[in-house]
Amino acid sequence: MDVPKPRWTTSSFLLYAGGLTVLGAAVGALVYLSSHYGSSAYAGWSALVLVVLYVIADGLKRRDRWLAAGVFGFASVIAWALFIGSLWSWFGWLSGSVSFGSFSFPRLVLELLVLGVALDDMRRFRFPFIASIAVFVGWFFVLDLLSGGGNWSAFVTLFVGVVYLLAGRASDGPAGFWLDFAAGLLIGGSFLYWWHSSDFDWALISVAALFYVAISYGSKRSSWAVFGALGLLAAGAHFAAAWSHKTVVSLGGFSVSSSFQGWVPALVFAFVGFLLVFLGLASRYDAET
């Protein structure tokens, strides 16, 4: 499937901004209507929003305005998810909250229906942005199916992230960006779930961030470098906060904090900044977005 790559221009920005604003207005209207109508009427309103957005997307596609059609195709997938959710709520198949500790066949079916439409609309509109919905719903479905919460959810998330990483390496189309983006987010999220307390934890996050930068250069996907930089900055924030206060232990076993050492954060972030510059100079070529 030949998928064109959107270019960031004045026109494309306005199309994205306008289409996503329409989507936000539609979601806001449905939130308002859900509080003023019963579940059956709300399902009807959701169907109306879905039909309007999809008709606009299909009409733009027929006029060969593929970028505008894709933006509204993206909006129609979100509208489809809201419509199916409203139907399930009307039928009494959904509880008020999502709990990964409890199996719910209707919820899994809902997720599969949204995933199927997202994949079909990717084929229909040839618009890479729709892949962001597919990768998120795909992760959520696997998590909902296999996870019971806690550490196991982090393991499942890490596994899905690795699968997305491998799939992103195998994909040479624009939609591969979203596989790489999701892989970096899910793998990094798992690491942060496990490593976020001690200095040693944040040292591990720093090492993982360096690997992210290496992956970015190897894959030519700058999203990995963005996540790597965020990881280094987060680790820097931790060490700056931890090292900028002295603690004095009294004879009674109580600890009191001494005066704040304001030079420590500046020194830590200067080191992080120069490290990022060094990493940026490590290659003569920029990673692709």
Side-chain angles (χ1 to χ4, degrees), residues 43-262:
W45 286 114
S46 300
L48 176 62
V49 169
L50 170 62
V51 169
V52 169
L53 291 176
Y54 194 83
V55 166
I56 293 174
D58 188 64
L60 290 168
K61 179 178 179 293
R62 293 176 184 275
R63 288 168 176 78
D64 202 26
R65 304 302 298 269
W66 74 271
L67 183 57
V71 173
F72 277 93
F74 174 91
S76 70
V77 176
I78 301 297
W80 167 257
L82 294 174
F83 169 64
I84 296 299
S86 68
L87 283 181
W88 267 224
S89 296
W90 179 21
F91 300 156
W93 292 350
L94 290 182
S95 59
S97 61
V98 176
S99 174
F100 293 123
S102 61
F103 179 83
S104 173
F105 180 74
R107 189 172 64 227
L108 292 172
V109 172
L110 185 153
E111 293 156 7
L112 280 178
L113 287 173
V114 175
L115 179 60
V117 167
L119 293 174
D120 183 66
D121 277 9
M122 283 177 57
R123 176 193 61 81
R124 186 184 305 275
F125 293 104
R126 300 185 301 125
F127 190 59
F129 193 28
I130 300 176
S132 63
I133 302 175
V135 296
F136 171 77
V137 177
W139 159 75
F140 195 85
F141 172 77
V142 174
L143 194 67
D144 197 6
L145 179 65
L146 301 178
S147 174
N151 279 324
W152 181 239
S153 291
F155 276 115
V156 172
T157 296
L158 177 62
F159 171 77
V160 174
V162 172
V163 171
Y164 282 167
L165 172 60
L166 297 176
R169 296 302 86 241
S171 173
D172 57 357
F177 165 82
W178 290 107
L179 290 168
D180 273 291
F181 182 88
L185 189 63
L186 296 179
I187 294 172
S190 300
F191 289 161
L192 281 174
Y193 179 83
W194 289 316
W195 306 330
H196 63 271
S197 300
S198 65
D199 289 351
F200 182 71
D201 288 343
W202 284 101
L204 291 176
I205 291 295
S206 301
V207 173
L210 295 177
F211 276 105
Y212 267 49
V213 174
I215 293 174
S216 179
Y217 276 127
S219 64
K220 300 191 182 302
R221 295 285 190 186
S222 60
S223 60
W224 288 95
V226 172
F227 288 129
L230 291 175
L232 290 173
L233 290 169
H238 167 81
F239 288 118
W243 294 344
S244 61
H245 293 85
K246 284 185 176 180
T247 56
V248 179
V249 181
S250 67
L251 293 178
F254 298 99
S255 62
V256 294
S257 178
S258 67
S259 60
F260 174 72
Q261 301 179 95

